[in-house]
Amino acid sequence: MRSTTACLLNGKALAEKIQGDLKELITILQPKIGRPPGLAVLMVGDDPASAVYVRNKERACAKLGMASFGHHFPGQTSQTELEKVIQELNQDPRVDGILVQLPLPPHLDSVALLHTIAPEKDADGLHPMNLGRLVRGESGLRSCTPAGVMRLLEEYQIEVAGKHAVVVGRSILVGKPLGLMLLKKNATVTIAHSRTQNLAEITRQADILIAAVGKPQFITGDMVKQGAVAIDVGINRIVKSDDNAILVGDLDFESVAPVADYITPVPGGIGPMTVAMLLYNTVLSYQDRQ
């Protein structure tokens, strides 16, 4: 049995490095373009977690010298009102990226709102046109969390080609686009989900295991192959008996870390990478629109 534990894949440090590179690029481009890149974030209602995410994005924009156009709407705002605002932002020459902060109140259709965003301003990389480009292997704005996973693997020089990658979770936000990105890098990909039979048998075959199920500490050490790369996309808030809350991932870190060769922490792993790739997409759109 190994006495060592897995090497931590530090998403926080890499996200800071990416943001530093973007800041330099903005410094070069801004005098030529005549304005900074602009990101518009639309938030509806008072979800506390969403409010924290939006504040973090606004702070990150300020740090890079980007313009931030925050739009905070009351919970009862109608679909028509939001679509009108998005259409105005599509036409606004100061705005390069538009993001609708999820989750939305139940009366709103998030898919229809996403379709309203101009594909070239789709900072989250989730518009059907951008997902279609991903399917076809064409360049375009990429879904932020999967792109962050791929960038982290690249930074640590983890070989993907020829490896068996198992993605647990099939959402349009993470599982499906990540499967396509791994395929493009010549991995053999299995996408598992809530209906998968003998899940542990499948996860134990993974050279690269990605947990994106939204269930706290769902993947345990006995479900992981010795020497695997374990990527945790989940972020779950658990309230302890003393009323203090902690953040945990979809991996049971304590039991997985002694088995895996590499592992992402929660927090400090994929979360910061998602924000970094959102900013990257906005700057890419800024650059491409000139």
Side-chain angles (χ1 to χ4, degrees), residues 85-138:
V85 171
I86 291 170
Q87 283 158 355
E88 286 166 1
L89 292 169
N90 286 340
Q91 302 303 319
D92 191 333
R94 302 168 302 160
V95 174
D96 303 285
I98 302 168
L99 167 77
V100 176
Q101 182 66 46
L102 301 176
L104 290 169
H107 71 279
L108 294 170
D109 182 348
S110 59
V111 175
L113 289 175
L114 192 65
H115 287 201
T116 309
I117 297 171
E120 67 277 10
K121 293 191 178 188
D122 169 31
D124 244 349
L126 294 172
H127 189 281
M129 194 172 287
N130 288 321
L131 289 170
R133 286 178 180 137
L134 173 61
V135 171
R136 292 177 60 87
E138 298 170 0

Side-chain angles (χ1 to χ4, degrees), residues 209-224:
L209 177 61
I210 298 110
V213 285
K215 292 183 180 177
Q217 300 166 324
F218 180 72
I219 304 285
T220 51
D222 61 343
M223 298 171 74
V224 179

Side-chain angles (χ1 to χ4, degrees), residues 51-64:
V52 171
Y53 294 145
V54 169
R55 272 201 304 277
N56 288 345
K57 286 162 188 168
E58 286 170 350
R59 282 195 201 112
C61 283
K63 197 172 155 191
L64 267 63

Side-chain angles (χ1 to χ4, degrees), residues 145-161:
T145 300
V149 171
M150 297 305 292
R151 183 69 183 79
L152 194 58
L153 292 171
E154 183 189 317
E155 179 70 11
Y156 282 85
Q157 298 178 335
I158 293 168
E159 187 57 64
V160 174

Side-chain angles (χ1 to χ4, degrees), residues 58-266:
E58 286 170 350
R59 282 195 201 112
C61 283
K63 197 172 155 191
L64 267 63
M66 291 172 64
S68 177
F69 301 94
H71 294 261
H72 187 182
F73 300 93
Q76 66 274 20
T77 304
S78 72
Q79 185 86 11
T80 308
E81 284 175 83
L82 289 171
E83 287 178 2
K84 185 172 179 285
V85 171
I86 291 170
Q87 283 158 355
E88 286 166 1
L89 292 169
N90 286 340
Q91 302 303 319
D92 191 333
R94 302 168 302 160
V95 174
D96 303 285
I98 302 168
L99 167 77
V100 176
Q101 182 66 46
L102 301 176
L104 290 169
H107 71 279
L108 294 170
D109 182 348
S110 59
V111 175
L113 289 175
L114 192 65
H115 287 201
T116 309
I117 297 171
E120 67 277 10
K121 293 191 178 188
D122 169 31
D124 244 349
L126 294 172
H127 189 281
M129 194 172 287
N130 288 321
L131 289 170
R133 286 178 180 137
L134 173 61
V135 171
R136 292 177 60 87
E138 298 170 0
S139 62
L141 299 173
R142 297 289 187 247
S143 309
C144 299
T145 300
V149 171
M150 297 305 292
R151 183 69 183 79
L152 194 58
L153 292 171
E154 183 189 317
E155 179 70 11
Y156 282 85
Q157 298 178 335
I158 293 168
E159 187 57 64
V160 174
K163 298 295 174 69
H164 186 188
V166 175
V167 182
V168 187
R170 55 178 166 179
S171 73
I172 201 71
L173 285 169
V174 181
K176 287 174 184 171
L178 183 53
L180 290 164
M181 290 177 195
L182 289 160
L183 276 174
K184 192 172 191 302
K185 290 290 184 183
N186 299 313
T188 299
V189 180
T190 300
I191 295 182
H193 46 79
S194 58
R195 298 289 180 88
T196 300
Q197 295 183 0
N198 306 317
L199 179 64
E201 284 179 29
I202 292 165
T203 57
R204 277 195 293 269
Q205 295 169 31
D207 303 305
I208 301 169
L209 177 61
I210 298 110
V213 285
K215 292 183 180 177
Q217 300 166 324
F218 180 72
I219 304 285
T220 51
D222 61 343
M223 298 171 74
V224 179
K225 178 182 180 178
Q226 190 80 45
V229 178
I231 305 288
D232 197 340
V233 175
I235 185 153
N236 308 284
R237 189 171 177 270
I238 292 181
V239 179
K240 296 164 76 181
S241 55
D242 58 3
D243 283 342
N244 285 326
I246 56 165
L247 293 177
V248 299
D250 291 351
L251 295 175
D252 176 38
F253 190 91
E254 295 303 317
S255 65
V256 173
V259 181
D261 273 0
Y262 294 91
I263 192 168
T264 57
V266 175

